[in-house]
Structures are given as C-alpha cells and as structure tokens.
Amino acid sequence: MTETAPPQHTPFEDAQGLLFGGAMAAFGIVILQSLGFITGQIAGLSVLISYMTGWGFGPVFFALNLPFYWFGYKRMGARFVVKTFIAVLLLSVLAQIFPHYVRFGTLNPLIGAAMYGFISGAALLALFRHGASLGGVGIMSLYLQDKTGFKAGWTQMIFDACVFVLALFVLPLQAVGWSFVGAVVLNMVIAVNHRRDHYIAG
C-alpha cells in the first residue's frame, strides 16, 4: 500500500489556525493570572516574572522567546519560525488586551486549573497542526537532542522543575500546587491528542 503525502493547508486555514491558537492561549493566560497561578515552559517563567516585577506578561513573553528563533530555524526551517513568531506575537498582544475585557467574579481553583490546561492544550494542538508553536524551551530541547542526544523531554522537565521551584519562593504553596494540576492537564491533552501522522502538513 502506497502512502500519499498529506495536502498542504491553505493560507486562510493557516491564518485561522494561528489566530485560534494565539487567542486561546492568551485566554488561558488570563485564567492563570486571575488565579495567581503559573505554568511550565517560557510562558510559566514569563508569568512568574510578571508577578515579581509588575511588568506585563506579553512583553516579557515576547522578549524571552527572541533567542529561541535561531534554534527553530536550524531545527525546523524558516516557515516554522515565521509561523511561530506570528503565534507568539498574537499571544503577547492578546494577553495584554484580554484582561481589559475579561474578568472573573468567581473562579474555583480546581476548575480554573483544569480549564487552563484544556484551553491551552487546544491552543497548542491547533498551532502544532498548522506548523507552529509558542517557541521557547520546546524548540531548544529538540535542537539539543539532535546535537547531543539528550532527550528533549528531559530538557523540558528540568526547565519546568526550575520554574516551579522558583515559584515556591514567590507564590503561596497552595497556588503552586494548583498550578501543577493545570500543567498536568495541559500535558495530558498534548500527550493524548498530538499525533503528527493525523495532521495535514503545515
């Protein structure tokens, strides 16, 4: 049986996918910050820095991602980097805008953590499907895996562990615990649903 290459996404489909992914990811950050929680990866470090300094999440997240585009170019090529840059820019801008229009009067910590994980997982799946990501450690970990053989998953786990340990010095223990729940839900969504062979080429 001969396998045929999957069709390419149209520019409109890519634009819709990037907008959906960026907007959903930004909405997830609104939930996270409303609860005073964090998450892993560069997004988590950016949220933590915003808590510590009062700087906006968007500019911090955008700036922290800048060094990683080189790794993305070397590992995945220019098309991936351009799409990822757009996704990161959308998240950075919308995360600054949404809090002016979205506020929560009551948000249970468990429900909020779980919904953050579901929403952010859906956002990342959409971006993956359209050949993009939200940059950061995931890109560098794949690059290091290619160069050194050190597993990408271990690099991401080590980075996330450092973020959560740092959070223990900044946030209440309970908030860090609920944040961990949200991170677990997010990673479960990705682990269960992310299948490259099911995706149309970006």
Side-chain angles (χ1 to χ4, degrees), residues 1 6-7 11 16 22 73 84 103 111 117 127 131 150 152 170 184 186:
M1 182 176 178
Q16 183 274 336
Y73 174 75
T84 296
R103 289 184 175 85
I111 298 300
L127 294 175
F150 190 73
V170 179
V184 169
L186 167 58

Side-chain angles (χ1 to χ4, degrees), residues 26-99:
F27 190 75
I29 294 298
V30 173
I31 294 175
L32 208 67
Q33 292 185 308
S34 296
L35 292 165
F37 295 169
I38 62 157
T39 188
Q41 304 293 299
I42 292 297
L45 180 59
S46 301
V47 171
L48 195 57
I49 290 174
S50 74
Y51 292 156
M52 296 168 63
T53 63
W55 299 340
F57 166 85
V60 173
F61 180 73
F62 184 83
L64 289 182
N65 266 296
L66 291 175
F68 295 99
Y69 294 118
W70 183 85
F71 295 105
Y73 174 75
K74 299 293 287 186
R75 177 60 165 73
M76 271 80 86
R79 184 181 179 89
F80 169 82
V81 169
V82 170
K83 289 183 176 182
T84 296
F85 179 85
I86 293 170
V88 169
L89 180 62
L90 280 169
L91 170 54
S92 300
V93 172
L94 293 176
Q96 295 299 111
I97 294 174
F98 281 179

Side-chain angles (χ1 to χ4, degrees), residues 68-201:
F68 295 99
Y69 294 118
W70 183 85
F71 295 105
Y73 174 75
K74 299 293 287 186
R75 177 60 165 73
M76 271 80 86
R79 184 181 179 89
F80 169 82
V81 169
V82 170
K83 289 183 176 182
T84 296
F85 179 85
I86 293 170
V88 169
L89 180 62
L90 280 169
L91 170 54
S92 300
V93 172
L94 293 176
Q96 295 299 111
I97 294 174
F98 281 179
H100 296 290
Y101 299 96
V102 179
R103 289 184 175 85
F104 299 97
T106 302
L107 187 56
N108 176 271
L110 176 59
I111 298 300
M115 291 308 299
Y116 162 77
F118 289 139
I119 289 170
S120 297
L124 286 169
L125 288 170
L127 294 175
F128 294 161
R129 182 181 178 89
H130 290 272
S133 78
L134 289 175
V137 179
I139 295 175
M140 187 183 70
S141 63
L142 290 171
Y143 179 84
L144 290 176
Q145 179 174 276
D146 290 344
K147 292 296 183 180
T148 68
F150 190 73
K151 293 294 186 182
W154 283 110
T155 300
Q156 294 183 69
M157 285 177 62
I158 291 169
F159 184 89
D160 285 353
C162 291
V163 171
F164 273 84
V165 169
L166 179 60
L168 290 172
F169 295 94
V170 179
L171 302 176
L173 179 61
Q174 189 176 36
V176 177
W178 286 122
S179 298
F180 182 75
V181 171
V184 169
V185 173
L186 167 58
N187 283 295
M188 284 295 295
V189 170
I190 299 299
V192 172
N193 294 284
H194 182 41
R195 290 282 303 276
R196 279 187 177 275
D197 56 320
H198 287 181
Y199 289 171
I200 297 171

